[in-house]
Amino acid sequence: MPAPESPLIIALDYADLGAALQLADALDPARCRVKVGKELFTRVGPVAVEALHRRGFQVFLDLKFHDIPNTVAGAVEAAADQGVWMVNVHASGGRRMMEASAERLAKRGLETHLIAVTVLTSMADGELQETGVSGSALAQVERLATLTLESGLDGVVCSARESARLRELCGAGFLRVTPGIRPASAGQGDQRRVMTPDAAMAAGSTHLVIGRAVTQAADPMAALADIERTLARRS
Ligand code: C5P
């Protein structure tokens, strides 16, 4: 499978496989990766991943596992056995949960990247505090990213607003996968900690997750081409 140079990961957030594959068939696996999330996977299952692999895509299986260590390690292993490029857990599941997952992959020699969600990009400080976390989203992201690094994972899902700080804190090689990406012309929807694609790359994101800005655009391929042009102007 080709490894695209592009940092773009297109979120195939659809309720049926036909719609997801329709967009995938318009995309080029040499120019982006794709993400299968909870909605599509819950409806369709591993068939979605297989269909995308057959088309040559590297797949990020974004199921954000959060459970006891043994259960999450088993789920991560099951994802890696499907040959996905990346899978994730919630860092708030704790050190033992993350270590068990990383150890399981290492023991099996599976090369799937394992990353952890720090704080959802849909959450701002006030909403986070309602869940019992005192302090800012940034402080919580820093705490969970450090824990993720110490637990042996490859990187985090965070907001691009936190990428620069996490590059400094966790090192350049630690992946910073950032959803909440919104081209200047798009609305923010339910996301709160958002950034434009070029600003996110400038801030130190290693990968950009882009969903509705492409999938809900009147012309998805034109929207994607616009984003690619913005990024090309940077390099
Ligand atoms: O449509 P939009 O670009 O907001 O989609 C973002 C995608 O990234 C969704 O699939 C969402 O589930 C995912 N995601 C997120 N925030 C995280 C982790 C994943 O928005 N912290």
Side-chain angles (χ1 to χ4, degrees), residues 62-217:
D62 177 24
L63 298 182
K64 302 186 184 70
F65 298 127
H66 188 173
D67 208 317
I68 59 171
N70 187 55
T71 301
V72 170
V76 164
E77 182 178 15
D81 274 334
Q82 288 172 45
V84 299
W85 165 74
M86 177 175 274
V87 64
N88 59 358
V89 301
H90 266 287
S92 51
R95 185 187 299 271
R96 282 191 303 120
M97 189 202 80
M98 289 195 279
E99 282 178 352
S101 303
E103 281 162 15
R104 187 74 67 91
L105 292 186
K107 196 163 144 199
R108 290 275 321 278
L110 294 165
E111 286 178 3
T112 297
H113 296 294
L114 176 61
I115 63 171
V117 177
T118 52
V119 175
L120 294 171
T121 43
S122 56
M123 293 185 93
D125 288 357
E127 208 176 352
L128 189 60
Q129 280 155 15
E130 274 185 335
T131 69
V133 174
S134 55
S136 65
L138 178 62
Q140 180 69 354
V141 168
E142 287 179 5
R143 183 180 300 122
L144 291 176
T146 304
L147 184 63
T148 303
L149 179 68
E150 289 173 1
S151 303
L153 275 65
D154 303 310
V156 285
V157 183
C158 61
S159 146
R161 297 183 185 189
E162 292 123 23
S163 289
R165 174 67 187 127
L166 294 190
R167 181 174 50 193
E168 194 178 86
L169 192 67
C170 303
F174 193 63
L175 301 177
R176 294 169 299 278
V177 177
T178 60
I181 300 299
R182 292 288 180 272
S185 54
Q188 75 174 32
D190 57 351
Q191 298 281 21
R192 289 297 171 265
R193 301 185 347 268
V194 299
M195 232 191 217
T196 61
D198 44 330
M201 290 307 292
S205 297
T206 57
H207 296 87
L208 308 182
V209 174
I210 304 196
R212 286 162 291 182
V214 167
T215 58
Q216 304 292 308

